[in-house]
Amino acid sequence: MIIQQRDGHLLTIVLDRDPHRNSLTTKVCSEVADAIDAVESPDIRAVLIRGRGSAFCAGADLKGGVYGDDFHGALHRMLRSILECPVPVIADVQGPAVGAGTQLALACDLRVVGDGGWFRVPPAELGFALDNWTIRRAVSMLGGSVARSVLLAAEKVDADTAAAVGFANLRGDADDAWAYAQRIAGYAPLALRQLKGVLNDEGFGFTLRPNQQQLYDLCWSSDDAAEARSARAEKRSPVFKGQ
């Protein structure tokens, strides 16, 4: 599901599901988390995550993955592993990053975005609910106004917009991303670890407040969520009823 490549102090993790546009399953999330958890500094000083083929990550595998009982646990474990990794983790986004693919990019410390890279989180279109961390992190990384456009209006953030709001730390192609990651891997490991630890100490986690959790559970178990799933399979627009 993933390919790991080592070059000096840089570890590259490649999502290797090109026929499925690198969509995430429980297994993919677990493999990424295992690879990140195995990182030992100063042997590895930076991690670069990229997708094979035309997409960075098309999100959760909607043909079953996102509806599985253990998918969200595996997804959150992967995101936590990136956040808690002792070295900077860089996303090389040369194609679409949708849904959980955007969550993956949000978890990374830095992002390089190419001309074909873009971000979108469409839970409102699919009848999904999101955890507290994803919403707060989106506000932190994208800014409040853009985050609202993404989450409430299902707007796409293209490469230029990502650069304009600072979500893209560098505009460039895959070679630029590799050179950027190699440069960061050459910096002082202890300094990077301390800086990352403070930057990711944002004061919020994945847990929702009780009333928010009720709405989250209601959303996932709703007829609307089932309707969105059926509509996607039947290639039609969903008809939501708010129940």
Side-chain angles (χ1 to χ4, degrees), residues 91-186:
D92 176 17
V93 184
Q94 298 300 321
V98 184
T102 293
Q103 289 176 281
L104 174 57
L106 282 167
C108 290
D109 301 290
L110 299 162
R111 285 150 296 279
V112 179
V113 183
D115 291 339
W118 52 269
F119 306 87
R120 191 164 183 262
V121 186
E125 285 187 349
L126 299 174
F128 293 174
L130 291 175
D131 59 85
N132 183 67
W133 175 85
T134 298
I135 297 169
R136 305 300 179 192
R137 184 81 163 187
V139 172
S140 175
M141 295 285 107
L142 293 165
S145 180
V146 175
R148 286 171 180 267
S149 293
V150 169
L151 297 176
L152 298 179
E155 296 287 349
K156 180 171 77 172
V157 175
D158 62 19
D160 290 336
T161 301
V165 301
F167 189 53
N169 302 96
L170 177 70
R171 284 280 274 115
D173 61 19
D175 290 339
D176 295 323
W178 187 87
Y180 184 68
Q182 281 284 13
R183 174 162 62 86
I184 292 167

Side-chain angles (χ1 to χ4, degrees), residues 6-154:
R6 173 77 181 272
D7 192 326
H9 292 298
L10 175 65
L11 173 66
T12 300
I13 298 173
V14 182
L15 303 179
D16 190 28
R17 298 189 78 222
D18 186 23
H20 304 280
R21 296 176 62 77
N22 301 318
S23 59
L24 298 175
T25 64
T26 297
K27 182 174 176 58
V28 176
C29 292
S30 297
E31 288 190 7
V32 173
D34 288 344
I36 296 289
D37 287 345
V39 168
E40 293 185 5
S41 177
D43 188 34
I44 298 295
R45 300 183 185 180
V47 176
L48 181 66
I49 298 179
R50 56 193 1 170
R52 182 183 174 196
S54 61
F56 173 69
C57 176
D61 187 340
L62 295 180
K63 292 184 179 180
V66 71
Y67 300 103
D69 293 338
D70 53 356
F71 174 76
H72 289 101
L75 173 64
H76 291 169
R77 182 195 162 213
M78 179 186 71
L79 299 177
R80 285 193 185 97
S81 72
I82 295 170
L83 292 168
E84 296 171 2
C85 181
V87 306
V89 181
I90 302 142
D92 176 17
V93 184
Q94 298 300 321
V98 184
T102 293
Q103 289 176 281
L104 174 57
L106 282 167
C108 290
D109 301 290
L110 299 162
R111 285 150 296 279
V112 179
V113 183
D115 291 339
W118 52 269
F119 306 87
R120 191 164 183 262
V121 186
E125 285 187 349
L126 299 174
F128 293 174
L130 291 175
D131 59 85
N132 183 67
W133 175 85
T134 298
I135 297 169
R136 305 300 179 192
R137 184 81 163 187
V139 172
S140 175
M141 295 285 107
L142 293 165
S145 180
V146 175
R148 286 171 180 267
S149 293
V150 169
L151 297 176
L152 298 179

